[in-house]
């Protein structure tokens, strides 16, 4: 009887009452008592009041979070908050940001909802899409003709050069009216809503929610809005607890601001071609984000946690020598270490934030050391080996170059014999470039995250399952390892026995072509379906994406479902070590040991002609014997 009466009572509860009930549960379960106290204090200090209603305005939020005016992103962020504030009744959006609504916003933006909604959606991706999307069928129809015309030429080019595959093309997913794909996105978002209402033992309210298929089909994120948001996320990515966004103001002026905007443009290019598409559709958003940018929105965690630290509170009190309490400035957290100890030719703060969108930030920020730079150490495999091989932790290789001219019948490599030799070492088949319409940029940046130390390649390649191959410029793209083979990384010095020395990722070791890569022609290097090749002189590189093949050591792109290849002249090459002082100490000790060994070898006078006598001399010096080889004496 009690349950029946309870069910009847809840069936007549209003959206407002259920929202208050859920907000109360979120507040109790997702925040500590101190955090809840601080949140209430912050809300009271910021809220405007109209009759009995207290709420937050857009400019108030922007000022409190220190959102830079130059980004023009305040309205985009407030739109997101107003939508998420209506949770779980999202059809009521936009919501006035009162107390209950702000509890919803902070719980979801900081991912604290996972503490009580274990059976909800795996992340907030679907919810965030709809918070950014606009529903305007007129806009979709206005650009539909332009999209079709722009796609026609691109698709003809792809069809003539690549084998069709049974997957949607990169342009097709941006077409307006993709109701089926959008419906799937809505249903997955509903999983989070259902979990929230289920936690209240009340699901009937959700069944009464109605959203038309027309709204779903017309939903898209405007390209300009997303660009502004990505610039904010690049800026906020390294934020720590209580760290103010204004500390990074230097990244918003002059060349730094242009670099920030350029990096955001590369990320935007992973979702759409801005010249032919007005916005990002949910199907595209949901396919690219989890693979190429899984940590894109992590910067919101620290940003929105500022609502949990009141400026009126001061937890930094300490006593001076006289025993009297002294106070540090509110919000002081000391002077943090720089995010990057030194900037390289390729890696700067914006590229560092871009890397943190798919490599966990705790392994990057304040933990990268420049091990090798071609500009400073010379473009040679010898200097590369000397600087990199002793690092006993993960590394990140970055290479930047300029695209080589397209070759064809009668093509000669600009009279450059080195370029001609490099071109001749590659298979003659040439795919189109992979810029996706961004022909304005001939600068290419690729990289590899390698989780294990470097070593020489003998019979087998190296590199663990966490190895990641990626492109940063002009399009952001990420290629994770597959289970088809383990030809992830090779490092082969030039020698008479090696036909194609150099550094490769996704290719078989030199001299041992795998049958899975197709026919191997003598004198021509075997390229993996998804692979990066750097020649032994570090002058040229080649990235191949053979999407129509069965795949290889790395998976194909989710952003570009077609064949392409980029051949480029290397301009910069650098390797960064992931780790701290301990890793640097071990490397320094290894360098010192090698220096002592080299000095000991130099002082020993060999060449007497008596091999046994020379061997005995080396054993007395401690250079061979036991576990030491000392090299061949024969």
């Amino acid at each position: 009887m009690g349950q029946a009466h309870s069910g009847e009572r809840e069936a007549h509860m209003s959206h407002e009452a259920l929202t208050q009930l859920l907000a109360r549960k979120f507040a109790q379960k997702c925040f500590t008592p101190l955090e809840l106290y601080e949140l209430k204090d912050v809300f009271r200090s910021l809220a405007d009041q109209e009759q009995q209603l207290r709420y937050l305005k857009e400019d108030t939020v922007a000022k409190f979070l220190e959102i830079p005016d130059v980004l023009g992103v305040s309205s985009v962020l407030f739109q997101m908050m107003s939508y998420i504030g209506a949770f779980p009744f999202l059809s009521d959006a936009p919501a006035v940001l009162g107390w209950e609504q702000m509890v919803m916003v902070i719980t979801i933006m900081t991912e604290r909802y996972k503490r009580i909604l274990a059976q909800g959606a795996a992340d907030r991706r679907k919810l965030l899409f709809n918070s950014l999307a606009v529903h305007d069928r007129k806009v979709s129809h206005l650009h539909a003709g332009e999209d079709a015309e722009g796609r026609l030429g691109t698709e003809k080019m792809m069809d003539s050069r690549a084998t069709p595959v049974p997957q949607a093309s990169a342009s097709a997913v941006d077409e307006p009216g993709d109701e089926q794909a959008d419906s799937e996105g809505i249903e997955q978002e509903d999983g989070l809503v259902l979990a929230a209402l289920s936690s209240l033992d009340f699901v009937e309210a959700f069944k009464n929610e109605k959203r038309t298929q027309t709204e779903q089909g017309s939903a898209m994120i405007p390209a300009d809005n997303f660009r502004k948001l990505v610039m904010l996320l690049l800026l906020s990515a390294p934020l720590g607890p209580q760290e103010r966004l204004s500390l990074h103001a230097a990244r918003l002026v002059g060349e730094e601001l242009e670099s920030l905007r350029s990096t955001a443009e590369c990320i935007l290019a992973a979702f759409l071609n801005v010249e032919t598409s007005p916005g990002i559709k949910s199907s595209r958003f949901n396919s690219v984000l989890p693979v190429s940018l899984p940590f894109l929105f992590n910067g919101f965690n620290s940003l929105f946690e500022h609502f949990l630290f009141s400026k009126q509170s001061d937890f930094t009190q300490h006593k001076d020598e006289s025993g009297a309490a002294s106070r540090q400035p509110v919000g002081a957290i000391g002077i943090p270490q720089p995010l990057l100890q030194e900037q390289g030719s390729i890696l700067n703060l914006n590229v560092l934030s871009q890397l943190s969108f798919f490599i966990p930030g705790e392994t990057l920020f304040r933990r990268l050391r420049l091990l090798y730079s071609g500009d400073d150490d010379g473009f040679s495999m010898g200097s590369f080996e000397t600087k990199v091989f002793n690092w006993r932790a993960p590394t990140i290789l970055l290479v930047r170059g300029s695209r080589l001219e397209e070759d064809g019948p009668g093509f000669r490599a600009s009279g450059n014999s080195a370029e001609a030799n490099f071109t001749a070492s590659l298979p003659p088949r040439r795919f189109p470039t992979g810029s996706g319409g961004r022909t304005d940029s001939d600068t290419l940046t690729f990289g590899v995250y390698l989780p294990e130390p470097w070593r020489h390649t003998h019979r087998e390649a190296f590199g663990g399952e966490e190895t990641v191959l990626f492109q940063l410029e002009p399009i952001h793209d990420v290629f994770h390892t597959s289970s088809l083979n383990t030809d992830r990384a090779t490092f082969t010095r030039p020698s008479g026995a090696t036909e194609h020395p150099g550094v490769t990722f996704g290719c078989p070791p030199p001299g041992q072509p795998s049958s899975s890569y197709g026919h191997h022609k003598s004198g021509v290097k075997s390229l993996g379906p998804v692979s990066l090749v750097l020649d032994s002189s570090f002058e040229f590189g080649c990235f191949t994406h053979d999407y129509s093949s069965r795949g290889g050591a790395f998976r194909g792109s989710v952003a570009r479902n077609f064949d392409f290849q980029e051949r480029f002249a290397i301009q910069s090459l650098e390797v960064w070590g992931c780790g701290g002082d301990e890793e640097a100490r071990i490397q320094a000790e290894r360098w010192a040991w090698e220096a002592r060994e080299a000095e000991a070898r130099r002082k020993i006078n060999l060449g007497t002609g008596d091999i046994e006598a020379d061997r005995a001399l080396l054993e007395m010096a401690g250079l061979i014997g036991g576990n030491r080889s000392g090299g061949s004496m024969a």
Side-chain angles (χ1 to χ4, degrees):
M1 294 291 292
Q3 292 179 350
H5 286 303
S6 175
E8 292 176 2
R9 177 180 59 82
E10 290 182 338
H12 294 88
M13 290 182 68
S14 65
H15 284 191
E16 182 179 1
L18 281 169
T19 298
Q20 292 175 351
L21 189 61
L22 183 60
R24 192 178 307 121
K25 185 166 186 175
F26 276 176
Q28 294 173 350
K29 300 293 185 181
C30 299
F31 302 94
T32 66
L34 180 59
E35 288 174 336
L36 194 57
Y37 172 82
E38 294 288 294
L39 176 56
K40 290 179 179 178
D41 189 62
V42 170
F43 181 78
R44 283 195 298 265
S45 66
L46 297 178
D48 284 85
Q49 184 166 353
E50 207 170 289
Q51 297 181 354
Q52 300 299 317
L53 178 64
R54 298 178 67 88
Y55 64 97
L56 299 185
K57 293 181 178 180
E58 178 183 329
D59 57 347
T60 303
V61 171
K63 183 177 180 180
F64 176 76
L65 295 179
E66 300 180 345
I67 306 299
D69 292 337
V70 69
L71 298 183
V73 73
S74 297
S75 59
V76 178
L77 188 65
F78 194 76
Q79 172 190 329
M80 296 181 68
M81 295 174 64
S82 299
Y83 181 88
I84 295 174
F87 186 86
F89 301 106
L90 299 172
S91 61
D92 294 343
V96 176
L97 295 181
W99 163 252
E100 288 84 6
Q101 288 71 32
M102 284 304 298
V103 169
M104 300 292 186
V105 169
I106 297 169
T107 302
I108 292 172
M109 285 296 204
T110 61
E111 296 186 279
R112 291 166 182 258
Y113 67 87
K114 292 181 179 180
R115 298 179 183 180
I116 59 174
L117 302 182
Q119 72 273 35
D123 52 44
R124 47 198 171 155
R125 184 174 66 250
K126 313 303 184 302
L127 184 61
L128 291 177
F129 172 84
N130 279 321
S131 72
L132 287 164
V134 297
H135 303 269
D136 190 346
R137 175 62 72 176
K138 291 182 180 179
V139 173
S140 297
H141 283 304
L142 178 64
H143 292 272
E146 299 174 4
D147 289 351
E149 183 179 353
R151 284 193 300 273
L152 184 60
T154 303
E155 291 173 354
K156 284 183 177 179
M157 177 189 70
M158 295 177 187
D159 290 341
S160 63
R161 299 193 181 187
T163 304
V165 292
Q167 299 190 33
S169 68
S171 57
V173 294
D174 284 332
E175 291 180 10
D178 187 7
E179 281 86 0
Q180 181 178 359
D182 290 332
S183 179
E184 293 175 359
I186 295 295
E187 289 174 1
Q188 293 185 50
E189 174 209 287
D190 292 345
L192 183 58
V193 176
L194 280 169
L197 293 171
S198 178
S199 70
L200 303 176
D201 297 322
F202 189 82
V203 182
E204 193 65 30
F206 178 77
K207 296 179 180 179
N208 295 327
E209 290 288 283
K210 293 182 179 180
R211 280 170 292 175
T212 66
Q213 195 74 9
T214 301
E215 289 177 337
Q216 296 172 15
S218 63
M220 66 172 60
I221 303 175
D224 189 53
N225 286 1
F226 193 70
R227 182 188 297 106
K228 294 175 181 177
L229 187 68
V230 170
M231 292 178 69
L232 174 63
L233 291 168
L234 287 167
L235 195 66
S236 63
L239 286 185
Q242 302 186 60
E243 188 174 323
R244 314 299 300 188
L245 201 59
S246 57
L247 293 177
H248 303 283
R251 297 172 60 184
L252 297 170
V253 294
E255 293 182 358
E256 292 293 328
L257 178 59
E258 289 303 314
S259 173
L260 182 69
R261 184 175 290 108
S262 177
T263 304
E265 201 69 40
C266 294
I267 294 173
L268 178 63
F271 292 93
L272 81 167
N273 184 334
V274 294
E275 296 180 358
T276 59
S277 302
I280 305 170
K281 301 288 287 184
S282 67
S283 53
R284 182 72 162 178
F285 188 84
N286 294 332
S287 63
V288 172
L289 200 72
V291 175
S292 297
L293 299 152
F295 311 130
L296 176 65
F297 294 105
N298 281 15
F300 281 152
N301 290 16
S302 295
L303 186 64
F304 279 86
E305 281 183 353
H306 281 288
F307 285 101
L308 306 179
F309 297 98
S310 172
K311 293 184 178 181
Q312 304 303 320
S313 302
D314 185 4
F315 301 102
T316 61
Q317 292 192 30
H318 65 278
K319 293 184 178 181
D320 56 23
E321 295 179 357
S322 64
S326 62
R327 298 171 66 90
Q328 297 178 4
V330 175
I333 57 175
I335 301 176
Q337 295 180 351
L339 297 173
L340 197 58
Q341 292 186 3
E342 58 179 314
Q343 295 200 24
S345 301
I346 303 174
L347 187 63
N348 56 32
L349 294 179
N350 296 322
V351 173
L352 182 63
S353 291
Q354 184 180 3
L355 291 174
S356 75
F357 290 163
F358 60 95
I359 301 174
E362 59 268 19
T363 67
L364 301 177
F365 299 119
R366 302 183 176 90
R367 291 185 60 82
L368 289 186
R369 295 173 181 269
L370 182 59
L371 304 180
Y372 165 82
S373 170
D375 294 340
D376 300 329
D377 303 315
F379 290 89
S380 73
M381 296 189 72
S383 59
F384 183 103
E385 179 184 348
T386 301
K387 295 289 185 178
V388 175
F389 270 48
N390 290 328
W391 188 259
R392 316 313 295 174
T395 54
I396 297 175
L397 177 145
L398 298 174
V399 57
R400 174 173 291 166
S402 58
R403 183 182 288 119
L404 297 177
E405 295 181 16
E406 291 283 345
D407 57 351
F411 171 79
R412 305 188 69 175
S414 305
N416 187 325
S417 60
E419 181 180 335
N421 291 336
F422 174 72
T423 301
S425 70
L426 302 177
R429 183 181 182 185
R430 182 66 181 249
F431 297 139
T433 61
S435 297
R438 291 198 63 189
T439 56
D440 59 312
S441 176
D442 284 329
T443 301
L444 306 165
T445 302
F446 296 94
V448 178
Y449 171 79
L450 198 63
E452 61 183 51
W454 287 75
R455 65 174 186 266
H456 289 281
T457 302
H458 297 291
R459 294 180 178 273
E460 297 181 353
F462 61 96
E465 294 181 356
E466 296 180 357
T467 303
V468 181
L469 179 62
F470 54 86
Q471 182 175 359
L472 300 179
E473 186 182 13
I475 296 178
H476 178 99
D477 212 342
V478 177
F479 314 91
H480 296 278
T481 58
S482 74
S483 58
L484 292 180
N485 65 63
T486 57
D487 296 334
R488 291 161 188 151
T490 70
F491 182 94
T492 310
R493 293 282 301 271
S495 70
T498 303
E499 187 176 14
H500 296 292
V503 179
T504 72
F505 304 93
C507 297
Q512 297 184 27
S514 170
S515 59
S516 63
Y517 296 95
H519 176 69
H520 175 64
K521 181 181 177 181
S522 178
V524 175
K525 184 169 186 58
S526 293
L527 301 179
V530 180
S531 60
L532 175 65
V533 174
L534 307 181
D535 71 344
S536 59
S537 63
F538 291 159
E539 289 187 81
F540 302 100
C542 176
F543 181 86
T544 301
H545 183 260
D546 187 354
Y547 187 79
S548 58
S549 71
R550 295 179 57 189
F554 295 96
R555 301 178 186 274
S557 170
V558 296
R560 291 173 285 181
N561 301 338
F562 55 89
D563 300 336
F564 64 89
Q565 186 179 78
E566 301 284 11
R567 301 184 182 187
F568 55 94
I570 296 175
Q571 297 172 335
S572 300
L573 177 65
E574 53 196 42
V575 179
W576 295 79
C578 304
D581 295 336
E582 181 62 19
E583 288 81 2
R585 182 187 64 79
I586 294 174
Q587 185 195 44
E589 290 179 351
R590 181 70 181 178
W591 278 345
W593 179 86
E594 289 184 349
R596 292 193 300 269
E597 292 283 287
E599 181 65 15
R601 291 174 187 272
R602 188 182 66 82
K603 292 181 178 180
I604 294 176
N605 183 21
L606 299 180
T608 63
D610 188 338
I611 293 180
E612 293 301 325
D614 288 345
R615 182 180 297 278
L617 186 59
L618 289 173
E619 288 178 350
M620 286 187 293
L623 297 180
I624 66 172
N627 294 326
R628 299 185 180 184
S629 66
S632 174
M633 292 290 299

mmCIF file of all heavy atoms in Angstrom, residues 595-607:
data_model
loop_
_atom_site.group_PDB
_atom_site.id
_atom_site.type_symbol
_atom_site.label_atom_id
_atom_site.label_comp_id
_atom_site.label_asym_id
_atom_site.label_seq_id
_atom_site.Cartn_x
_atom_site.Cartn_y
_atom_site.Cartn_z
ATOM 1 N N ALA A 595 80.509 7.340 -20.749
ATOM 2 C CA ALA A 595 81.682 8.183 -20.954
ATOM 3 C C ALA A 595 82.917 7.535 -20.331
ATOM 4 O O ALA A 595 84.016 7.560 -20.920
ATOM 5 C CB ALA A 595 81.445 9.568 -20.353
ATOM 6 N N ARG A 596 82.765 6.954 -19.143
ATOM 7 C CA ARG A 596 83.899 6.279 -18.497
ATOM 8 C C ARG A 596 84.347 5.065 -19.305
ATOM 9 O O ARG A 596 85.538 4.796 -19.442
ATOM 10 C CB ARG A 596 83.524 5.871 -17.072
ATOM 11 C CG ARG A 596 83.328 7.039 -16.114
ATOM 12 C CD ARG A 596 83.288 6.559 -14.677
ATOM 13 N NE ARG A 596 82.189 5.623 -14.450
ATOM 14 C CZ ARG A 596 80.975 5.982 -14.057
ATOM 15 N NH1 ARG A 596 80.712 7.280 -13.869
ATOM 16 N NH2 ARG A 596 80.026 5.089 -13.843
ATOM 17 N N GLU A 597 83.357 4.317 -19.816
ATOM 18 C CA GLU A 597 83.684 3.152 -20.624
ATOM 19 C C GLU A 597 84.451 3.554 -21.885
ATOM 20 O O GLU A 597 85.430 2.912 -22.266
ATOM 21 C CB GLU A 597 82.393 2.412 -21.024
ATOM 22 C CG GLU A 597 81.681 1.764 -19.847
ATOM 23 C CD GLU A 597 82.359 0.481 -19.419
ATOM 24 O OE1 GLU A 597 82.243 -0.527 -20.133
ATOM 25 O OE2 GLU A 597 83.027 0.502 -18.363
ATOM 26 N N ALA A 598 83.993 4.616 -22.520
ATOM 27 C CA ALA A 598 84.658 5.077 -23.748
ATOM 28 C C ALA A 598 86.074 5.539 -23.458
ATOM 29 O O ALA A 598 87.008 5.279 -24.239
ATOM 30 C CB ALA A 598 83.846 6.208 -24.388
ATOM 31 N N GLU A 599 86.266 6.234 -22.329
ATOM 32 C CA GLU A 599 87.592 6.694 -21.968
ATOM 33 C C GLU A 599 88.518 5.526 -21.661
ATOM 34 O O GLU A 599 89.696 5.521 -22.051
ATOM 35 C CB GLU A 599 87.491 7.623 -20.749
ATOM 36 C CG GLU A 599 88.824 8.206 -20.274
ATOM 37 C CD GLU A 599 89.464 9.142 -21.285
ATOM 38 O OE1 GLU A 599 88.756 9.571 -22.233
ATOM 39 O OE2 GLU A 599 90.668 9.438 -21.152
ATOM 40 N N ALA A 600 87.987 4.501 -20.973
ATOM 41 C CA ALA A 600 88.801 3.323 -20.664
ATOM 42 C C ALA A 600 89.224 2.605 -21.936
ATOM 43 O O ALA A 600 90.368 2.146 -22.071
ATOM 44 C CB ALA A 600 88.016 2.385 -19.750
ATOM 45 N N ARG A 601 88.314 2.499 -22.890
ATOM 46 C CA ARG A 601 88.649 1.841 -24.155
ATOM 47 C C ARG A 601 89.722 2.634 -24.906
ATOM 48 O O ARG A 601 90.605 2.068 -25.549
ATOM 49 C CB ARG A 601 87.397 1.708 -25.028
ATOM 50 C CG ARG A 601 86.363 0.716 -24.507
ATOM 51 C CD ARG A 601 85.103 0.791 -25.378
ATOM 52 N NE ARG A 601 84.032 -0.021 -24.825
ATOM 53 C CZ ARG A 601 83.855 -1.315 -25.108
ATOM 54 N NH1 ARG A 601 84.683 -1.920 -25.923
ATOM 55 N NH2 ARG A 601 82.863 -1.987 -24.578
ATOM 56 N N ARG A 602 89.609 3.958 -24.844
ATOM 57 C CA ARG A 602 90.560 4.786 -25.583
ATOM 58 C C ARG A 602 91.990 4.633 -25.061
ATOM 59 O O ARG A 602 92.952 4.681 -25.815
ATOM 60 C CB ARG A 602 90.136 6.259 -25.479
ATOM 61 C CG ARG A 602 90.929 7.208 -26.357
ATOM 62 C CD ARG A 602 90.476 8.643 -26.142
ATOM 63 N NE ARG A 602 90.783 9.082 -24.795
ATOM 64 C CZ ARG A 602 91.991 9.526 -24.417
ATOM 65 N NH1 ARG A 602 92.992 9.553 -25.290
ATOM 66 N NH2 ARG A 602 92.196 9.925 -23.190
ATOM 67 N N LYS A 603 92.124 4.420 -23.748
ATOM 68 C CA LYS A 603 93.449 4.351 -23.140
ATOM 69 C C LYS A 603 94.128 3.005 -23.314
ATOM 70 O O LYS A 603 95.320 2.867 -23.081
ATOM 71 C CB LYS A 603 93.344 4.673 -21.648
ATOM 72 C CG LYS A 603 92.978 6.125 -21.370
ATOM 73 C CD LYS A 603 92.914 6.395 -19.866
ATOM 74 C CE LYS A 603 92.584 7.861 -19.589
ATOM 75 N NZ LYS A 603 92.507 8.136 -18.129
ATOM 76 N N ILE A 604 93.330 1.972 -23.666
ATOM 77 C CA ILE A 604 93.923 0.640 -23.800
ATOM 78 C C ILE A 604 94.613 0.508 -25.146
ATOM 79 O O ILE A 604 94.029 0.799 -26.193
ATOM 80 C CB ILE A 604 92.840 -0.444 -23.643
ATOM 81 C CG1 ILE A 604 92.285 -0.418 -22.215
ATOM 82 C CG2 ILE A 604 93.400 -1.821 -23.975
ATOM 83 C CD1 ILE A 604 91.154 -1.389 -21.990
ATOM 84 N N ASN A 605 95.855 0.082 -25.138
ATOM 85 C CA ASN A 605 96.640 -0.065 -26.364
ATOM 86 C C ASN A 605 96.523 -1.492 -26.861
ATOM 87 O O ASN A 605 97.158 -2.410 -26.336
ATOM 88 C CB ASN A 605 98.105 0.283 -26.098
ATOM 89 C CG ASN A 605 98.925 0.211 -27.367
ATOM 90 O OD1 ASN A 605 98.375 0.282 -28.469
ATOM 91 N ND2 ASN A 605 100.244 0.065 -27.215
ATOM 92 N N LEU A 606 95.663 -1.695 -27.853
ATOM 93 C CA LEU A 606 95.488 -3.017 -28.437
ATOM 94 C C LEU A 606 96.207 -3.075 -29.780
ATOM 95 O O LEU A 606 97.005 -2.207 -30.115
ATOM 96 C CB LEU A 606 93.988 -3.323 -28.588
ATOM 97 C CG LEU A 606 93.178 -3.335 -27.277
ATOM 98 C CD1 LEU A 606 91.732 -3.641 -27.586
ATOM 99 C CD2 LEU A 606 93.732 -4.347 -26.291
ATOM 100 N N GLY A 607 95.898 -4.092 -30.547
ATOM 101 C CA GLY A 607 96.481 -4.215 -31.878
ATOM 102 C C GLY A 607 97.856 -4.844 -31.868
ATOM 103 O O GLY A 607 98.679 -4.577 -32.754
#
